[in-house]
Amino acid sequence: MTTGPTDARPIQVRIADDIRAKIETGDLAPGEQLPTYDDLAETYMCSLTVVRRAVDLLKQQGLLITAQGKGTFVRERARARRHGMDRYSRSLWSSGTAILIGEAARQGHEAAQLMRFLGTVPAPAVVAERLGIEQGDDVHVRRRTTLIDGRPNQLADSYYPIEVVRAVPAITEEDTGPGGGFARIEGAGIRLDRIREEISVRMPKVPETAALKLPEGTPVAELIRTVHDTKGNPVEVMIAVIAGDMVSFDYDFPVPD
């Protein structure tokens, strides 16, 4: 650990910064066990209390995990990149590959999803506004938990107007078939035309922390996706809560005139 004479950082912060640098450079690899607290205290010439505070800081940042009776380890993180517009390419899902599955596979990850709820519910305000209906009107919802390499990474709730459900009854089934919901909607003659995504970052609610198994201090990205058909009608609103340490957003597009 290198510090200068004017370094005003508390020693636990300096230790945490040093360990973080080793993680970022790969000197400490994902899954690797840290030395014992006694060894760290000897290395950094500090007390065990200071070491615990440094480790706690890194745990809060999602970089370390502690296994009871085993020790402290560098956290293994499967980070999936969301490729902005490319992930919605018609050529992918129309050929039978679901968006999430295809995008994860291209990055060397395995994706899956678990259905949490299927049914008709009153439209929440954020959904009603985007679907152009009244708050409380009936909508059909598909609530899923998605996983990357076996770890929950996203809570995704897709809401559909009742008239879309009547035209595309497969939406009410747990398995919508090859290509997912987009393929079934277009198969029913509803041509998809435009997608809008709104992204914000916030701290998770308690149930979200539990469902996504988030380390302490890990934020989530909340993504609201609205899909329109060629007539300008909204056909789906999805609200996704994504584990902040498991995602990056990648956008590549031409400069508009």
Side-chain angles (χ1 to χ4, degrees):
M1 179 175 65
T2 302
T3 61
T6 60
D7 193 335
R9 292 173 299 164
I11 186 169
Q12 65 265 24
V13 175
R14 283 182 271 160
I15 293 171
D17 288 348
D18 189 60
I19 295 173
R20 185 191 306 105
K22 292 178 180 178
I23 294 172
E24 292 173 346
T25 59
D27 290 340
L28 285 172
E32 184 173 342
Q33 185 173 2
L34 261 66
T36 66
Y37 283 15
D38 286 334
D39 288 342
L40 288 171
E42 182 177 349
T43 297
Y44 291 107
M45 294 181 288
C46 65
S47 68
L48 289 175
T49 298
V50 170
V51 168
R52 291 191 185 95
R53 289 174 179 168
V55 169
D56 285 344
L57 284 173
L58 294 169
K59 287 166 63 178
Q60 291 169 14
Q61 295 165 13
L63 295 175
L64 299 178
I65 58 172
T66 300
Q68 189 67 32
K70 295 183 179 180
T72 303
F73 300 82
V74 178
R75 186 157 175 258
E76 299 184 78
R77 298 182 294 174
R79 186 183 295 273
R81 186 181 300 273
R82 289 177 61 98
H83 289 280
M85 296 183 293
D86 290 344
R87 73 190 311 263
Y88 295 119
S89 297
R90 182 174 278 105
S91 60
L92 297 176
W93 48 263
S94 64
S95 65
T97 302
I99 292 170
L100 174 71
I101 303 296
E103 185 171 60
R106 291 192 297 277
Q107 299 174 57
H109 298 298
E110 182 177 345
Q113 71 173 15
L114 303 174
M115 190 63 64
R116 304 191 331 266
F117 177 78
L118 275 171
T120 301
V121 297
V126 64
V127 171
E129 177 185 356
R130 287 158 179 79
L131 289 180
I133 60 177
E134 294 295 324
Q135 180 178 349
D137 284 356
D138 283 348
V139 290
H140 186 81
V141 66
R142 299 174 56 85
R143 303 190 198 277
R144 296 97 64 207
T145 299
T146 67
L147 302 96
I148 299 292
D149 297 339
R151 189 198 147 189
N153 76 307
Q154 175 181 243
L155 306 174
D157 297 352
S158 291
Y159 297 86
Y160 302 90
I162 295 301
E163 57 269 23
V164 171
V165 176
R166 294 193 186 104
V168 193
I171 288 175
T172 64
E173 300 173 9
E174 183 169 341
D175 184 359
T176 54
F182 278 19
R184 299 291 78 74
I185 290 172
E186 287 218 338
I190 303 173
R191 181 77 171 176
L192 304 180
D193 180 63
R194 184 167 53 88
I195 296 173
R196 180 187 184 193
E197 290 189 342
E198 306 164 67
I199 303 170
S200 58
V201 177
R202 60 174 173 79
M203 297 308 295
K205 302 171 185 175
V206 172
E208 295 167 346
T209 296
L212 293 172
K213 300 181 180 178
L214 297 173
E216 184 180 355
T218 304
V220 293
E222 183 174 87
L223 183 148
I224 303 176
R225 178 183 78 194
T226 306
V227 183
H228 294 82
D229 64 15
T230 53
K231 298 178 182 178
N233 299 316
V235 298
E236 181 221 37
V237 171
M238 182 188 77
I239 301 177
V241 178
I242 309 170
D245 62 331
M246 293 187 69
V247 67
S248 62
F249 295 91
D250 186 326
Y251 293 92
D252 183 355
F253 48 87
V255 176
D257 291 334

